[in-house]
Structures are given as structure tokens and as C-alpha cells.
Amino acid sequence: MASLHKNAWFFPFILGITLLAAGYYVINFHNIIELASSQSHYENYLNKGLGNSDCNCTAPKRTQKVPKILHYVYLNEDPASLPFNFTHWLAFTSAIETIKPEKTYFHCIHEPKSYWYQLIKPKVSIMKTRIVTKIFGNPVNIIQHKSDIIRMEVLRDFGGIYLDLDVIVLQPFDDLLYYDFTMGIEKTNQSTLCNAAIVSRPFAPFLTRWMLGYKDFDDSDWSRHSIRLPYNMSKVYSNDIHVLNATAFFWPTWMDEHLDLAYASNNYNFSNQYIYHMWSTKSYYKYLQYLSPKSIKSEETSFNRVVRKFLNYLPKDFNEKNFDFDG
């Protein structure tokens, strides 16, 4: 009996500790659940190597930085110049139907009048732009350089995806929207960053620096500020830009043998790239002026094969007999 009396305190003590622990858990249950579900706790959990690879946990999502909007710049200072033609319709249709943007902005001085533009017009928002004459006091006369400046300004102010009028979009851009700024390498006799496709958040640091580089702009130098300057900057400010390899955006290139590969052969596979730049300045008179819905349907080339699906977006009453390239 003496031994039993001596240990009588033990059972009430254990019961008290158990009740105290249970009470603490109930009181703090909400905080424990909140901590366990927080992103920081989840990340620490994985970093410590305690995560179960078989669990159905959903990893924290990355933050989208670039709005899913498209920008096109169409600088026809003379309303009669630069017709909006079939290849423009093809480029716009490929981008709108592949990227599926929330908005497509058409930055222009004068709206085109062609049939092909009328097909696209309901899908775009018209943004009247200005005629560029100077940048940082330096004269700007070449139309392509004027377009370079407008595209940088709209990306700075709005963010989004800028595309040249002769860019065919082959894959969605969704995974590129998580970077501050993205450009692709154009590799010919030297490496540059081509500005025919640019993905940027508003006021991206790389874009701001690039624009400031125009303080010594020289209109007589064709490519210095538009493609060579961003390439050189990418080596210095590599943390501010996502650079895609040469085949992602601008392959095949504008060189004659590459144009032949795209437009005259059936040997190139476009399946592993985001876009194809049609290089209209170089390819128009040899290839693009002869393109039509009929030729795309009937002639087996690498280019025709990959753009054929976009002809499904032609109006049901489209009459091939009345086809006019320039509308």
C-alpha cells in the first residue's frame, strides 16, 4: 500500500500534461494550418529535402510579368503606301489564333483600306501613333528606325509582345511571360538580337537602358542601335534579359540559302520554334509576292506546310478566283 501511495501522483501528472498539450494544439490549430499552407513554409519544406515526390501538392506559381497583349506598328506616313496584304493577314492571324492575346493593338498613322485589313480590323484595337522625326535631338528619317522607336515606347508604357508585320507565330508565348524582357538571337555572319519580336514587361530595366542608348543615335547606321546594341548590352546586363537561341525566333535566316530552305524546299521542320520571320524585305520579290491561299494549299514547301492551318480562318465566302495579294 505504501508503494501505491508513493506513486499516486504519477497518473494525474501524465493526464495533466496530455490535457495541456491537447489544449495548446486546439488553441493554435488555425496558426499551424496557416503556416503549413504558406508558400514560404512550402519552399522551406522542399529545400530541406523533406518533400514527398508522390504527393499531390501544387507548387507555388510563378508571377506573370508580361501582359498577354500584342503590339503591331504600321507606319504608313503616306496613306497610299505600304498596302496591308495577304501575308500581313497571315501573320496577324497566326499570332492572334496561336497566342490568343487579351488585346491586339494596331499602332498606325493611317488605317489601311485593303480587303485583308478589313478581315483583321474587328480583331484589333486601333492606336493612332505619331510621326517620329527625332530622338534625343538626333534626326530620324528611315521608316524602319521610326518603327524601332515606336515599338520600344509602347512596350515601355504598356508591356506585352511586339511583332513585326511579317512574323508567323508557331507556338504560344505563355512561358515567356514570366521574364522581364526577352529577345532572340539572329545569327548570320555575326550574332545580334533581332527586334522583330520582343517580349517585355512595362518599364523593364533592360528596355530602359536600351532606349537611353539612343542618345548617340545615327540614322545612317542601319543596324547599330536596333540589333547590335541590345546584343552587346545583353553581355553586360545578362540578369535583365532572357535571350533565346538562334533557332527559337529567327531561323532560317534572311540569307538566300535559308530563304530557299523555307520557301522552295520541303526539308525544314519548324516544329521547335516560336516564330518564323518571313524576312519580307529580302524574300518579297522572290517568294512572298507569289503566295496565295491556292499556292499554300497546293505546293508542298516547308513554309506552306506550317502555315496551311491558318487558311481555315479565311471567310467561308472567300473566292480564290478574285484573290488579290494586295487586297
Side-chain angles (χ1 to χ4, degrees):
M1 290 293 292
S3 175
L4 180 63
H5 177 73
K6 182 178 180 180
N7 296 317
W9 63 270
F10 180 76
F11 296 103
F13 176 77
I14 293 299
L15 179 61
I17 291 296
T18 302
L19 291 174
L20 182 64
Y24 177 85
Y25 182 81
V26 169
I27 293 172
N28 291 278
F29 178 77
H30 175 74
N31 292 335
I32 292 171
I33 293 299
E34 185 176 47
L35 175 63
S37 63
S38 70
Q39 179 171 321
S40 59
H41 178 83
Y42 180 79
E43 290 172 346
N44 289 336
Y45 182 73
L46 295 181
N47 290 337
K48 291 177 181 177
L50 301 176
N52 179 0
S53 60
D54 295 323
C55 78
N56 293 319
C57 305
T58 300
K61 293 183 178 180
R62 295 180 294 167
T63 301
Q64 180 178 322
K65 298 180 178 181
V66 178
K68 200 174 184 179
I69 58 178
L70 289 175
H71 297 281
Y72 289 95
V73 176
Y74 183 85
L75 300 185
N76 55 339
E77 296 179 11
D78 175 3
S81 67
L82 192 61
F84 190 100
N85 57 40
F86 170 61
T87 55
H88 293 142
W89 175 87
L90 196 60
F92 272 65
T93 299
S94 72
I96 291 170
E97 300 303 334
T98 304
I99 293 176
K100 301 189 182 304
E102 298 168 7
K103 206 85 170 175
T104 299
Y105 290 113
F106 187 65
H107 304 269
C108 64
I109 297 172
H110 306 286
E111 284 190 73
K113 304 296 183 183
S114 73
Y115 167 80
W116 297 107
Y117 176 68
Q118 296 308 314
L119 294 184
I120 287 297
K121 185 174 180 178
K123 301 179 181 180
V124 303
S125 297
I126 311 302
M127 300 284 282
K128 290 300 180 73
T129 190
R130 74 185 198 285
I131 297 176
V132 176
T133 58
K134 292 183 178 180
I135 184 167
F136 292 111
N138 304 305
V140 184
N141 297 307
I142 297 175
I143 191 71
Q144 288 86 350
H145 291 164
K146 295 181 180 187
S147 176
D148 293 343
I149 293 164
I150 295 295
R151 75 190 63 178
M152 291 193 293
E153 290 178 348
V154 300
L155 286 175
R156 176 196 62 195
D157 297 342
F158 296 95
I161 301 163
Y162 167 81
L163 298 173
D164 267 4
L165 297 165
D166 60 346
V167 166
I168 299 292
V169 178
L170 306 173
Q171 300 288 344
F173 277 40
D174 290 7
D175 59 327
L176 302 180
L177 304 181
Y178 296 92
Y179 300 93
D180 277 2
F181 193 82
T182 299
M183 292 181 76
I185 289 177
E186 176 193 340
K187 190 170 183 62
T188 50
N189 55 348
Q190 63 175 330
S191 291
T192 58
L193 289 181
C194 183
N195 64 354
I198 308 170
V199 185
S200 177
R201 74 166 175 83
F203 293 95
F206 190 92
L207 178 60
T208 302
R209 292 192 185 97
W210 184 12
M211 295 181 73
L212 289 173
Y214 272 69
K215 287 183 177 180
D216 63 349
F217 176 73
D218 180 359
D219 197 48
S220 66
D221 193 327
W222 174 254
S223 61
R224 177 186 167 195
H225 286 82
S226 57
I227 61 176
R228 300 199 319 263
L229 176 59
Y231 180 79
N232 294 335
M233 287 176 53
S234 72
K235 301 301 181 183
V236 181
Y237 303 105
S238 58
N239 290 334
D240 293 335
I241 183 171
H242 178 222
V243 177
L244 299 179
N245 65 35
T247 61
F249 273 4
F250 303 113
W251 199 266
T253 73
W254 49 263
M255 295 185 295
D256 288 340
E257 60 269 29
H258 283 199
L259 295 180
D260 294 343
L261 181 63
Y263 296 111
S265 84
N266 196 22
N267 300 324
Y268 185 72
N269 185 354
F270 283 99
S271 63
N272 295 320
Q273 58 197 81
Y274 290 97
I275 68 172
Y276 173 60
H277 188 198
M278 291 186 279
W279 309 105
S280 58
T281 302
K282 292 281 290 186
S283 64
Y284 178 82
Y285 290 105
K286 188 174 183 181
Y287 292 114
L288 295 188
Q289 68 171 327
Y290 302 111
L291 279 180
S292 70
K294 182 178 180 179
S295 69
I296 289 174
K297 291 175 185 176
S298 61
E299 298 172 11
E300 289 300 322
T301 68
S302 302
F303 178 81
N304 288 351
R305 189 176 65 247
V306 78
V307 301
R308 195 170 284 152
K309 62 184 178 182
F310 300 119
L311 299 182
N312 293 328
Y313 296 98
L314 284 169
K316 292 182 179 178
D317 61 354
F318 175 75
N319 189 342
E320 187 78 45
K321 292 181 180 179
N322 296 330
F323 173 77
D324 178 353
F325 181 88
D326 292 332

